[in-house]
Amino acid sequence: MELNRSDHPYLDQLQVGDRFDSYYVLQSLQLATTRKNKPFLILTFSDRSGTMKGKMWEDAEEAYRILSVGQVVKIRATTEEYQGNEELKVIRIRPIDKKDMDDYSRFLPTSTSDLEQDWQTILDSIAMIENEPLRELMNSIFEDEEIREAFRTAPAGKKWHHGYIGGLLEHTASIVKLASWMCEHYADLKRDILISGALLHD
C-alpha cells in the first residue's frame, strides 16, 4: 500500500485511512504480548498539536531495543479507528538522525504573541535606561547574537508558565511593560534598576 500523504503531518491533521511518514516525540513505550504470546508495542506520540496512541505489531522486540522515551522518532504508519478514537498502526519506526531535521519547533507549542513587537519592547526599554553603564550592560547582553537567538525562542518556564517557544520573550516584555507602568504610577521608584531587573529576572 502506497503512502497517500507526503507532508509529514501533525497529529491533529490525521484522518482515518491516512498512510504517511512523519516525525514525533515518543512519549511512552511498552512491550506487551497478545493472547497468543506474540510481542507488540504500545506507544504514545506527541507533537505541538497534541498526542496520539499507537501500536506496532511487527518487529516489536527489535524496535523496543533501540527506542527510548523522549526521543524524536520517524515513523511510517496508518491512521485507524479503535474504540471510537484515532490510533496509529506503526509499520516502521526509528530514532531520527541529526541530518533528518534541524527545526524542532514542530514538537513544542509556540507563543501566539507578536514576538517582533515583544522584542521591540525590550529594545525600547533598554534605550530609555538613563544610567549609561547599566544601559551598556543591557545592550551587551541583548545584542549578543547567541543570547538574542536563545532568548527569542526559549520558553519562560518548564512547567508553570509560558512553557512554549517564545514564552521567555513574551513574558519578559509583559513584565517590562508592568514595571514601566509602576514607575509612572510611583514616581519615587528607581526606573533604571526596576527595568533592568525586569529584563533579566528570568
Side-chain angles (χ1 to χ4, degrees):
M1 183 177 178
E2 297 294 325
L3 300 180
N4 65 348
R5 297 195 65 156
S6 58
D7 57 343
H8 301 301
Y10 289 96
L11 290 168
D12 67 350
Q13 297 173 327
L14 294 172
Q15 297 180 357
V16 173
D18 284 344
R19 184 178 170 98
F20 62 92
D21 291 342
S22 198
Y23 302 94
Y24 306 111
V25 177
L26 182 60
Q27 294 284 3
S28 70
L29 173 67
Q30 179 184 351
L31 184 63
T33 55
T34 67
R35 293 177 181 177
K36 294 184 178 180
N37 208 35
K38 180 181 179 180
F40 70 99
L41 290 180
I42 302 172
L43 314 105
T44 306
F45 301 100
S46 72
D47 60 22
R48 72 185 187 193
S49 72
T51 62
M52 189 176 294
K53 293 187 179 299
K55 293 186 177 71
M56 183 171 180
W57 301 99
E58 303 297 330
D59 303 317
E61 291 179 310
E62 180 181 349
Y64 185 75
R65 284 194 294 269
I66 65 171
L67 297 174
S68 299
V69 171
Q71 287 179 319
V72 177
V73 294
K74 183 176 184 180
I75 70 170
R76 174 164 292 183
T78 301
T79 311
E80 300 180 336
E81 184 174 339
Y82 178 70
Q83 295 183 343
N85 296 309
E86 290 183 357
E87 184 175 279
L88 300 180
K89 179 182 178 181
V90 179
I91 302 163
R92 300 177 189 167
I93 185 170
R94 65 170 174 82
I96 68 163
D97 297 321
K98 290 184 178 180
K99 64 183 181 182
D100 285 323
M101 64 168 51
D102 56 11
D103 179 13
Y104 289 83
S105 63
R106 68 176 287 129
F107 307 114
L108 296 170
T110 303
S111 171
T112 58
S113 179
D114 184 339
L115 297 181
E116 290 304 320
Q117 184 59 51
D118 288 340
W119 184 249
Q120 192 60 49
T121 296
I122 300 298
L123 299 181
D124 291 345
S125 68
I126 294 173
M128 293 179 66
I129 295 174
E130 295 180 353
N131 181 282
E132 186 173 353
L134 196 53
R135 185 175 65 252
E136 289 179 354
L137 175 61
M138 294 300 107
N139 278 325
S140 70
I141 294 171
F142 286 92
E143 289 177 357
D144 180 280
E145 183 177 355
E146 185 175 352
I147 293 175
R148 182 177 66 245
E149 292 308 309
F151 195 92
R152 289 168 63 97
T153 57
K158 187 175 181 180
K159 181 177 181 182
W160 297 111
H161 71 94
H162 299 81
Y164 40 77
I165 291 175
L168 177 59
L169 176 55
E170 176 189 339
H171 173 61
T172 301
S174 177
I175 297 300
V176 165
K177 291 176 184 177
L178 180 60
S180 296
W181 176 84
M182 291 179 65
C183 290
E184 293 174 5
H185 192 71
Y186 299 103
D188 58 335
L189 292 176
K190 294 183 178 181
R191 188 183 189 284
D192 288 355
I193 298 296
L194 191 60
I195 293 299
S196 298
L199 288 166
L200 301 180
H201 81 280
D202 264 348

